[in-house]
Amino acid sequence: MRQVARRLRDGSLELVEVPDPGPGPGAVAVRVERSVISTGTERATLEVARKGLLAKARARPDQARQVLERARREGLRSTLEVVRQRLDELGPLGYSAAGTALAVGAEVPGIHPGDRVAIAGGGFANHAELDLVPGLLCARVPKGVASEEAAFSTVGAIAMQGFRQGGVAVGGTVAVIGLGLIGQLAVRIARAAGCQVIGVDLDRRLVALAGAAGAEAFERGELGSGEAREGVADSVLICASAAGSTDPIRLAAKLSRDRAAVVAVGDVNLDLPRGPFYEKELDLRLSRSYGPGRYDAAYELHGHDYPIGYVRWTERRNMEAFLALVADGKVRPAELVSHRYPFAEAERAFEALTAEPAPTAIVLDYEAVREPPAPVATRRPKERRSGAPKHDAPRFGLIGAGRFATGTLVPGLISAGFHPAAVASAGGLSAEGARRQFGFEEVLGKGEALFDRDDLDLIAIATRHQSHAALTAAALRAGHAVYVEKPLALTEEGLRDVREAQLESGAPLIVGFNRRHAPLARELAKASGPRLMHYRVNAGRLPVEHWTNDLELGGGRLVGEGCHFIDFLCAQAGSDPLTVSARGFPSTDDLPLRATDNFSLQIAFADGSVGTIGYAADAPTGPGKERFESSSPGSYAVLEDFRRAVVWDQGKRRRLGGRRQDKGFSDQYRLLADVAAGRAEAPTAASFVLSSLVTLVAVRALESGQVEPVVEGSVTANDKVS
């Protein structure tokens, strides 16, 4: 299929050929018929992308601070490489479209193949021939509603939510400041609800368009000081995009009557004039996009709908309400369309965003797309000669092409001597970007397509955490050597399945616990006797909505990240872990205990060794991110951020390392190459299973508050690699 992609470096656009996405249990595969180009959001996205680096930093100071912090922590060279990679990434555009459902996941109620649906969501309802959209971001289109008008349902839901936030009853007066696409739809929704409407904009054309819909509309200059209509609105919707100006919020205060609601729908400066807001007791409200459910992964990604008796209007129900107004003829989005382009001319359509006069709405028409495009991957697998080496250079297939994969994993494998054969990713743009960057021979939409091939020496899995166990087990049962990023599994059931698959096949399994391979770590592991070990991690916070904090997607930070440090202690210890205890607290009440990002856990080992991990999201990172200390009879060692270590042994001090940080990635990838080429034996998979089991036991200990045993028989002591 084809999809519109933009490059962050310069905002350049391209129609890119990518593999068709495969439907999941909670998603709908939609053949797109029309999509709407947002003259506000998407234009702003491209304007930022077309800025220089300094201007980008000014536009996104939060991201600039993250770059500076990373450079301080990990070095300028590696940080610049990450920045370069992100600037070259292909990103999707679009969030409002309509089409026909081709395939519907088993967990999606109320939608069936063949239904016409409106779809929503950035990264889901893309400008693409085929979209894969979560079920609750799909709404059935009523009979008689054309695809062009149904494609407005997302932007219509934004306007609908803004109107609802105003709380105006029939007969009330609504003022709309900013008569772009969202403002025009808000005018029509308010009129359909029986309200009087005042519209204000700087553009005479937009004022006339709102007037034709029944609003009393004015150019901003015609209002003058606003005295003639001061104090008439029961609700004011600010739909303008004016982050650098306080005029919209001041005008809203003048138009409002006592105790009116002022609703910020657009990106507007909220430097409130205290006088009128205080004197009129105005109620400032913010409207969050399409409605309740927005930015809630449980709703959008996992399909957990809110009970209608408690949350009457959700994202999907706002979309449905908007479509009902269109079906009744009370809102006619087609009258707002100023430009129509066939999808093949999408690049020209985006050029119209900067045309004069400015467009009100741009629609892409996919009708010319009659048949699905041929699959991207067409090369047949090579025959393998029995008993002979498969290739001069070992070949790998990659599942998942996110930032870690393209920034660290793939460059590391290639540097170690691997050849990039195939890349598979549900996000077709990321896979195509990886092909262009690294020279993969082909791009696939589903990782499972790699399992039947016999020309691969390694399958590398770098998807999000929830799919690691299932993909790893399936690849092992197909007889492939597997490298999988941490964590190996989110549940003990998944871990057991992986272990059984590896025992059945005997295929090599290596997990991305890179720290155990670091040169300084191997040097410290030479200590003998029982040890007292402490690993301090100042990790910093992640946004609450980050997918790692999602228990279903990422498992929380103890599982998703803490597994690294648990594996490190298990690799350093000279014997098997016996028990785990844990305590912790989340940095915010929005995180459940299982996803806590501040925790301390202790592991007791069979030889008397004790390992403690202190992981803190709330501690400052100034003292350094990671510090490991170890003491044993006659010996003490400290490792600082994998840059340098000091060892005191029998009264002598040794300094190891230098300024360069080495977390073991290179040595890990060289080991993979040696295993693939037959130059080395693979580490026993039991060591990775063991540390993964300890991680899951730590979660149980955190929840129970008790000392939890590492269940005997899960892996035997003689399986373990020290």
Side-chain angles (χ1 to χ4, degrees):
M1 73 168 193
R2 292 173 298 171
Q3 179 173 350
V4 176
R6 66 103 178 95
R7 196 177 299 279
L8 183 58
R9 178 179 298 278
D10 54 10
S12 58
L13 297 175
E14 183 181 351
L15 264 182
V16 178
E17 194 79 34
V18 298
D20 289 359
V28 181
V30 179
R31 180 66 66 189
V32 179
E33 297 169 4
R34 299 289 191 282
S35 63
V36 175
I37 297 177
S38 168
T39 53
T41 301
E42 292 181 87
R43 178 175 180 169
T45 298
L46 292 178
E47 285 177 348
V48 171
R50 288 167 179 164
K51 295 177 182 291
L53 282 178
L54 185 58
K56 282 185 172 75
R58 288 174 178 156
R60 293 299 307 270
D62 54 333
Q63 294 185 357
R65 284 192 295 270
Q66 291 174 13
V67 169
L68 293 174
E69 173 60 25
R70 183 183 183 117
R72 186 197 65 78
R73 188 177 66 245
E74 300 185 14
L76 183 60
R77 182 177 178 180
S78 65
T79 300
L80 288 176
E81 180 59 28
V82 169
V83 171
R84 183 200 63 77
Q85 173 205 340
R86 294 190 180 181
L87 290 175
D88 285 336
E89 284 179 355
L90 296 174
L93 288 168
Y95 64 89
S96 190
T100 300
L102 299 184
V104 180
E107 299 175 7
V108 179
I111 296 176
H112 305 91
D115 286 349
R116 296 174 59 243
V117 291
I119 55 178
F124 299 117
N126 304 314
H127 299 303
E129 293 170 339
L130 183 67
D131 281 329
L132 190 63
V133 185
L136 287 179
L137 295 180
C138 299
R140 293 182 64 184
V141 176
K143 291 182 179 179
V145 176
S147 294
E148 178 175 278
E149 297 203 309
F152 281 81
S153 63
T154 307
V155 286
I158 295 172
M160 180 80 72
Q161 177 64 12
F163 174 76
R164 295 193 195 286
Q165 287 291 84
V168 183
V170 174
T173 299
V174 177
V176 179
I177 300 174
L179 299 174
L181 179 56
I182 301 296
Q184 294 288 343
L185 292 171
V187 165
R188 287 155 175 77
I189 289 168
R191 290 293 295 151
C195 297
Q196 302 300 313
V197 180
I198 298 170
V200 185
D201 199 277
L202 300 172
D203 189 326
R204 180 176 295 276
R205 294 178 308 108
L206 298 178
V207 168
L209 199 56
E216 186 183 5
F218 304 90
E219 285 188 68
R220 176 66 180 94
E222 294 175 351
L223 282 175
S225 64
E227 294 172 359
R229 292 164 187 81
E230 184 172 347
V232 297
D234 300 290
S235 172
V236 180
L237 310 183
I238 306 178
C239 298
S241 178
S245 172
T246 60
D247 183 64
I249 195 72
R250 293 178 181 276
L251 177 60
K254 288 184 177 182
L255 295 175
S256 298
R257 67 172 77 251
D258 281 4
R259 297 173 183 81
V262 176
V263 183
V265 180
D267 182 8
V268 63
N269 189 318
L270 295 179
D271 186 8
L272 303 181
R274 184 181 185 279
F277 269 77
Y278 169 77
E279 292 162 5
K280 296 182 178 182
E281 286 192 337
L282 300 181
D283 186 0
L284 176 66
R285 304 175 184 176
L286 274 69
S287 180
R288 188 171 62 184
S289 198
Y290 330 146
R294 189 70 179 113
Y295 309 116
D296 181 354
Y299 178 94
E300 293 190 330
L301 301 182
H302 305 313
H304 302 314
D305 200 358
Y306 301 149
I308 195 169
Y310 292 88
V311 182
R312 179 62 183 91
W313 297 108
T314 60
E315 290 180 88
R316 185 179 188 177
R317 293 195 271 271
N318 274 336
M319 292 170 67
E320 292 169 340
F322 177 78
L323 288 168
L325 291 178
V326 175
D328 289 342
K330 296 177 180 178
V331 176
R332 296 186 294 275
E335 65 190 17
L336 299 175
V337 179
S338 58
H339 297 69
R340 294 178 176 87
Y341 293 90
F343 178 64
E345 299 179 20
E347 294 172 60
R348 191 161 69 91
F350 274 90
E351 291 174 2
L353 285 174
T354 57
E356 292 294 341
T360 49
I362 302 173
V363 172
L364 292 178
D365 181 348
Y366 298 72
E367 285 300 321
V369 182
R370 299 297 181 187
E371 297 294 334
V376 174
T378 57
R379 186 183 61 78
R380 295 175 62 82
K382 296 180 180 178
E383 296 291 334
R384 185 196 297 187
R385 292 174 294 155
S386 177
K390 287 181 281 183
H391 322 284
D392 293 334
R395 296 160 58 86
F396 75 96
L398 173 68
I399 305 177
R403 286 175 176 170
F404 178 81
T406 56
T408 301
L409 175 57
V410 176
L413 291 175
I414 292 174
S415 179
F418 280 94
H419 174 75
V423 54
S425 176
L429 281 183
S430 60
E432 173 61 16
R435 184 193 68 79
R436 297 182 181 195
Q437 185 177 358
F438 301 108
F440 282 95
E441 296 170 6
E442 55 188 312
V443 177
L444 303 164
K446 297 188 69 175
E448 291 81 356
L450 297 176
F451 298 161
D452 293 332
R453 295 177 53 152
D454 63 358
D455 66 330
L456 300 176
D457 300 277
L458 178 74
I459 288 181
I461 298 171
T463 55
R464 288 188 173 180
H465 300 165
Q466 87 280 11
S467 60
H468 285 186
L471 288 172
T472 299
L476 288 168
R477 288 192 170 100
H480 288 284
V482 176
Y483 170 86
V484 58
E485 267 307 316
K486 57 81 187 171
L488 179 55
L490 298 187
T491 66
E492 292 189 37
E493 293 78 12
L495 184 61
R496 188 177 303 111
D497 188 37
V498 170
R499 181 59 170 154
E500 291 173 355
Q502 197 280 324
L503 289 173
E504 291 168 10
S505 69
L509 168 63
I510 296 178
V511 182
F513 294 133
N514 52 280
R515 285 166 175 80
R516 63 156 68 182
H517 301 284
L520 293 177
R522 294 202 304 270
E523 185 67 26
L524 267 57
K526 295 176 182 178
S528 60
R531 304 166 66 184
L532 296 177
M533 299 176 289
H534 179 72
Y535 204 136
R536 183 266 292 155
V537 185
N538 290 339
R541 284 195 186 188
L542 289 176
V544 171
E545 65 274 11
H546 192 281
W547 65 268
T548 300
N549 288 326
D550 186 314
L551 293 178
E552 294 186 45
L553 293 180
R557 295 187 81 175
L558 198 164
V559 174
E561 296 180 5
C563 61
H564 255 318
F565 315 111
I566 291 172
D567 178 79
F568 187 88
L569 293 185
C570 290
Q572 289 284 316
S575 63
D576 285 331
L578 298 179
T579 61
V580 186
S581 60
R583 291 288 191 278
F585 57 89
S587 58
T588 169
D589 291 339
D590 294 328
L591 288 175
L593 180 61
R594 188 179 178 90
T596 187
D597 49 4
N598 294 279
F599 55 82
S600 176
L601 61 89
Q602 188 175 85
I603 307 170
F605 294 88
D607 69 345
S609 294
V610 179
T612 304
I613 296 172
Y615 184 100
D618 288 332
T621 58
K625 182 181 177 183
E626 298 176 32
R627 178 185 173 95
F628 173 71
E629 296 180 71
S630 171
S631 61
S632 58
S635 177
Y636 171 80
V638 60
L639 171 61
E640 294 280 3
D641 266 335
F642 288 89
R643 295 180 185 274
R644 63 189 69 86
V646 181
V647 178
W648 286 264
D649 189 17
Q650 304 303 323
K652 297 181 180 180
R653 184 174 68 173
R654 290 183 295 141
R655 294 184 180 274
L656 307 173
R659 295 181 59 85
R660 181 176 173 272
Q661 186 179 64
D662 188 344
K663 291 185 178 180
F665 288 110
S666 296
D667 286 10
Q668 176 182 239
Y669 300 142
R670 282 193 291 269
L671 172 63
L672 282 169
D674 289 341
V675 170
R679 296 187 296 266
E681 291 292 327
T684 175
S687 67
F688 302 113
V689 174
L690 179 61
S691 59
S692 299
L693 176 63
V694 173
T695 302
L696 298 175
V697 173
V699 174
R700 193 190 316 143
L702 181 68
E703 293 182 315
S704 70
Q706 305 296 318
V707 176
E708 295 286 347
V710 179
V711 179
E712 295 182 5
S714 297
V715 280
T716 61
N718 58 9
D719 276 338
K720 182 177 180 293
V721 174
S722 61

